[in-house]
Amino acid sequence: MVKRLIIIAVVIAAVGGGWWAWTTYGPEPGATADRLGGSGIVEANEIAISSVIAGRIASTSAEEGALVASGTALFELDSVILRLQVDQAQAGVKAAQAALDKAKVDKVTQAEIDQAVARVDQAAAALEMAKVQLEYSTVSAPIAGTITGVSASVGENAAPGKTLATIADLSDLYVDVYIPETLIGQVKVGMKASVTTDSSTRAFEGTVVRIASEAEFTPSNVETKDQRVKLVYEVRLTVTDEGFVLKPGMPVDVAF
């Protein structure tokens, strides 16, 4: 009887020790012995939209969350002065051309004709510049995507370099996950992964495009303190989402 009790005690101790070793030194959360994984946030490349010229915003169609095509007009600046400048430049071209025609009729010297031709060219260049400035009064979406922020309203002044809105390219989504130093050797550029989110039953394909060359401590937004003190490598994956189900800021799980 005593011998049996000793055997049972040894078995219990062995099981307990094994469990302690597994929880202490076993795979990281999100990774198992035969499968890597991690969690991250869907991100997209964002472009800041700004005006090339200064001017008062006369109207806008930009709305946060709206899908827009490339070339969609988002802001219209007050263009009254710009239109007058175009009219003025057109009149200058007509005047220069009339002077050239008169010079040819009067049979003036070749040098005078050359000067008249140069004035026509100069007037034409001024007209093109005025037209370009007028085109700049319309601020359009440079790419197709989703407007993620609008920071200017009608009546405000636009200025070169001042962000009016931001647009995200939803065809170029990516996720950053952090893989423990002990497991990073299993991850390769070009490796495929399954990306899932709580808001959809679909699994999206991810592809590793970058692996950090240096280790870092787990980012501070990781929930538990013991995870934050471990060395990890940042791994970036591009995500294929033909149906535009995924949105920037959406949490996802990644399994390799």
Side-chain angles (χ1 to χ4, degrees):
M1 181 66 179
V2 174
K3 184 177 180 179
R4 181 179 299 177
L5 292 176
I6 292 175
I7 294 174
I8 293 174
V10 171
V11 171
I12 292 175
V15 172
W19 174 253
W20 177 85
W22 172 261
T23 56
T24 303
Y25 301 106
E28 300 289 333
T32 63
D34 60 352
R35 192 170 188 179
L36 296 170
S39 298
I41 301 294
V42 175
E43 298 183 63
N45 290 316
E46 288 189 333
I47 295 177
I49 301 172
S50 60
S51 174
V52 177
I53 61 175
R56 184 181 63 83
I57 299 174
S59 64
T60 178
S61 62
E63 294 183 2
E64 189 169 338
L67 290 170
V68 294
S70 177
T72 301
L74 301 178
F75 295 90
E76 293 288 347
L77 307 186
D78 189 339
S79 59
V80 173
I81 294 178
L82 298 176
R83 294 182 186 280
L84 290 174
Q85 289 175 342
V86 170
D87 293 342
Q88 185 181 44
Q90 287 175 333
V93 170
K94 291 180 180 179
Q97 185 63 50
L100 174 60
D101 294 341
K102 185 175 185 303
K104 291 178 178 179
V105 171
D106 293 345
K107 297 181 180 180
V108 297
T109 65
Q110 186 60 44
E112 290 174 317
I113 291 178
D114 290 343
Q115 290 178 355
V117 170
R119 284 192 287 271
V120 171
D121 292 340
Q122 186 177 33
L127 175 58
E128 289 304 311
M129 289 178 61
K131 288 181 178 179
V132 170
Q133 289 288 96
L134 179 58
E135 290 177 357
Y136 284 156
S137 66
T138 299
V139 182
S140 303
I143 61 171
T146 299
I147 298 176
T148 55
V150 178
S151 52
S153 304
V154 173
E156 295 186 69
N157 290 322
K162 178 183 177 181
T163 299
L164 305 178
T166 53
I167 184 170
D169 183 3
L170 296 186
S171 65
D172 188 16
L173 300 177
Y174 65 92
V175 176
D176 290 333
V177 295
Y178 295 88
I179 303 299
E181 184 181 25
T182 54
L183 300 175
I184 193 61
Q186 301 179 39
V187 182
K188 308 295 180 184
V189 172
M191 190 174 181
K192 301 297 182 181
S194 175
V195 179
T196 56
T197 178
D198 293 338
S199 62
S200 174
T201 57
R202 287 177 52 189
F204 306 88
E205 183 179 85
T207 304
V208 176
V209 294
R210 190 182 73 194
I211 301 173
S213 58
E214 295 183 359
E216 59 183 286
F217 287 107
T218 310
S220 58
N221 60 351
V222 174
E223 294 181 358
T224 61
K225 183 177 180 180
D226 62 326
Q227 292 178 36
R228 291 199 295 269
V229 299
K230 297 176 182 177
L231 288 177
V232 293
Y233 283 82
E234 182 185 68
V235 175
R236 173 162 296 185
L237 305 93
T238 57
V239 183
T240 302
D241 177 20
E242 297 178 353
F244 297 106
V245 175
L246 301 177
K247 301 291 187 295
M250 186 176 289
V252 293
D253 294 317
V254 177
F256 292 96

